[in-house]
Structures are given as C-alpha cells and as structure tokens.
Amino acid sequence: MSLNPALEDIHHCPRCGRVPEIDFPRSINCPHCGYGAYYNPKPVACAIPTDRKGHLWLLRRGFAPNVGKWSMPGGFVDLGESVEDAARREVMEEMAIEIELTGLIGVYSRPQDRTVVVVYAAATRGTPSRTEEALEVCAFAPNDIPWLQLAFWSDERALRDHLSRRPPAGAAPAPS
Ligand SMILES: [Zn+2]
C-alpha cells in the first residue's frame, strides 16, 4: 500500500495547473502560485478495556483490513474531538460500552505506516456486546491472549506493554 496515494496521482498543481515540486510522500509545493500542502500520519485512538478480574476485552474485526483477526477497539481521530474522546467513542461504536480511561499505555508508529496509534488503558464495568463492527467480543485472561491471531503489530506491542507494567492480579497496591 502506498504511503500517500493522493499525492501519487498528482502531477499538476491543484490551484494553477503548472508543474509543482513534489517531495513524496511528505509534501507538494508550487513555485508558480505558492500553493503548498503537507501530509502527516493520521492519529488512531485505541483502548484496552479491562474488567474487574483483570481480563482484557478484545474484538474480532468485522471490517477490512484484517477481517476476522483480534484487535483492540479503536479508530481514526476526527477533527473536532480529542484523542481521548475518540477512544471513548470508538469503544462505544465497536463494543457498545462506556469506558473510563485510566492511563496512557503507549504511542506506536513506524516509518512505513500511515498511522500513529495511541493506546489507553481503560476500565469497564459492564459487558461489551457484538456490533456491526465486531464479529465477536471476548474478555481474555492474560494467559489466553490470541497472540498469533492479532490484527496489527500495534495490538501485540500495546498488549505486551500493558501486561508487563501492571501489577499481577491480586497483588497488594503499591505503598503511597
Ligand atoms: Zn500552482
């Protein structure tokens, strides 16, 4: 997949029609009329909702890419909302449940990807449901995570980071 299919198809300045300077995949600048545009990765907001027992809710994706693979709920941040708002909205859309964000797990990006994935830990009280976007939802104990059937490298990284940092179930809270 191209990093920037929109820019790949452009050979003329969209404003004046003359030949622009293209620095693929990052930018287009027109020395004739001053038109310029810069392209950036898109932020994706995800959450790992966790129940009282410490089980992690994942969904089996009902949409491309990677249909049928397990993933964190999440999606693109829209203009007009914060990354946190987007995480809460996406979890509601994909799992039909409200969450409380409890901290940042990590930010995941690679030069060959068009996204920057921001992942939050989250608490949820109720039970998520299947939706049009989720073929199945399941709360996995840490030892039962389907590592070989995850949709994206960021799923694996965020789950490993999350599990390595949190206290084991039943551990005494840290002294304050
Ligand atoms: Zn121009």
Side-chain angles (χ1 to χ4, degrees):
M1 184 192 292
S2 168
L3 263 184
N4 192 343
L7 188 56
E8 211 157 60
D9 292 337
I10 292 181
H11 305 288
H12 303 280
C13 171
R15 185 190 282 162
C16 75
R18 284 179 281 184
V19 177
E21 293 168 359
I22 292 177
D23 180 9
F24 189 86
R26 303 170 46 188
S27 63
I28 173 172
N29 282 286
C30 180
H32 309 288
C33 74
Y35 175 86
Y38 294 84
Y39 301 88
N40 307 96
K42 285 188 181 292
V44 171
C46 295
I48 301 180
T50 304
D51 69 13
R52 284 200 174 90
K53 288 186 275 186
H55 292 188
L56 313 176
W57 284 98
L58 300 178
L59 61 87
R60 215 151 61 75
R61 290 170 63 87
F63 53 99
N66 296 334
V67 175
K69 295 287 184 69
W70 290 95
S71 188
M72 310 173 277
F76 289 109
V77 180
D78 292 336
L79 281 174
E81 68 181 354
S82 70
V83 181
E84 292 93 337
D85 289 341
R88 286 185 283 260
R89 174 181 55 74
E90 289 286 347
V91 173
M92 176 58 77
E93 289 174 8
E94 297 184 352
M95 288 185 160
I97 194 157
E98 287 187 8
I99 56 169
E100 180 190 342
L101 302 182
T102 56
L104 183 67
I105 295 174
V107 177
Y108 304 93
S109 73
R110 304 185 298 189
Q112 66 266 40
D113 288 338
R114 296 158 62 181
T115 54
V116 172
V117 180
V118 181
V119 184
Y120 295 95
T124 188
R125 305 280 170 251
T127 304
S129 310
R130 275 189 54 189
T131 63
E132 283 188 0
E133 300 181 31
L135 302 173
E136 191 181 346
V137 295
C138 184
F140 290 97
N143 290 334
D144 296 332
I145 303 285
W147 295 107
L148 299 179
Q149 296 158 55
L150 296 176
F152 302 106
W153 72 276
S154 50
D155 286 309
E156 179 178 345
R157 282 279 308 278
L159 285 164
R160 289 196 191 285
D161 287 347
H162 186 42
L163 291 172
S164 71
R165 280 180 214 151
R166 64 184 202 156
S176 52

